[in-house]
Amino acid sequence: FDDISTFTEKHVEGVKGSLVRYASVLGNYPDTLYWYIPSREHTVTYYSVKDFTTPVTGKTLFSGNKGYTMFIYGDTFTTHIQSDVNNGRKLLIFKDSYGNALAPYVLSSFEEVYMADYREFKLNAVDFIEEHGITDVCFAMSAFAVTGSKRDHITRLLNN
């Protein structure tokens, strides 16, 4: 992984977070959100909800939003990132919102990074891995992702 000193640090103050809509008292304690922009060359393509076949936009890793939705434009469903690394490694990250901020940090270790919201991914994961030559898979999600009815989404990944 690239050393953090090669990234450009940014921050925004006064972030209240999305939980403030459930507990207004949190608005009394704004936070400072930090993020790091990689110096490594990369391109980002966002796709339609169900799969990686219809490009929606080609933007950067960060939106202009003030808060956590700045990372890959919030809960985008499928994202493909190509870096300037030439090592043949391709990463598939199954994620929920917890995985959104991970993208900049893995660019230095993979030629390509695919990010898919596990709740919306409608393809067979094994087939997708084989078709795209994925070498590594990461699950970056909250602990709740594998409990209760949400775990059915993970089971579905293998059975589509």
Side-chain angles (χ1 to χ4, degrees):
F1 295 100
D2 284 340
D3 189 275
I4 197 71
S5 66
T6 67
F7 290 69
T8 301
E9 180 183 298
K10 300 280 188 172
H11 73 277
V12 63
E13 296 180 16
V15 175
K16 296 179 182 178
S18 60
L19 291 179
V20 73
R21 66 181 156 217
Y22 304 109
S24 60
V25 69
L26 294 175
N28 298 329
Y29 305 97
D31 204 352
T32 301
L33 177 67
Y34 291 87
W35 68 97
Y36 297 86
I37 300 173
S39 59
R40 196 166 282 283
E41 294 291 324
H42 63 279
T43 59
V44 184
T45 306
Y46 296 95
Y47 290 88
S48 63
V49 173
K50 296 181 181 182
D51 54 40
F52 285 94
T53 60
T54 309
V56 175
T57 58
K59 298 182 181 179
T60 66
L61 289 173
F62 307 98
S63 73
N65 296 340
K66 182 181 176 183
Y68 197 70
T69 58
M70 73 171 316
F71 299 106
I72 66 168
Y73 290 78
D75 262 343
T76 56
F77 299 108
T78 53
T79 306
H80 181 215
I81 306 162
Q82 295 176 290
S83 76
D84 62 357
V85 173
N86 190 19
N87 64 4
R89 293 181 68 194
K90 297 179 182 182
L91 174 65
L92 171 58
I93 300 174
F94 284 113
K95 57 128 196 118
D96 56 15
S97 64
Y98 284 70
N100 293 349
L102 184 60
Y105 305 104
V106 297
L107 291 180
S108 63
S109 296
F110 299 94
E111 265 181 37
E112 297 180 53
V113 177
Y114 294 87
M115 299 184 78
D117 189 311
Y118 78 101
R119 300 164 293 190
E120 300 293 336
F121 191 75
K122 304 300 183 196
L123 303 173
N124 180 284
V126 174
D127 291 343
F128 185 85
I129 289 166
E130 290 174 358
E131 289 171 19
H132 293 281
I134 303 297
T135 58
D136 300 82
V137 177
C138 173
F139 286 84
M141 52 190 65
S142 72
F144 300 108
V146 294
T147 62
S149 63
K150 291 187 178 191
R151 74 174 176 265
D152 294 341
H153 294 296
I154 295 173
T155 302
R156 184 183 37 73
L157 292 174
L158 302 174
N159 296 323
N160 271 345

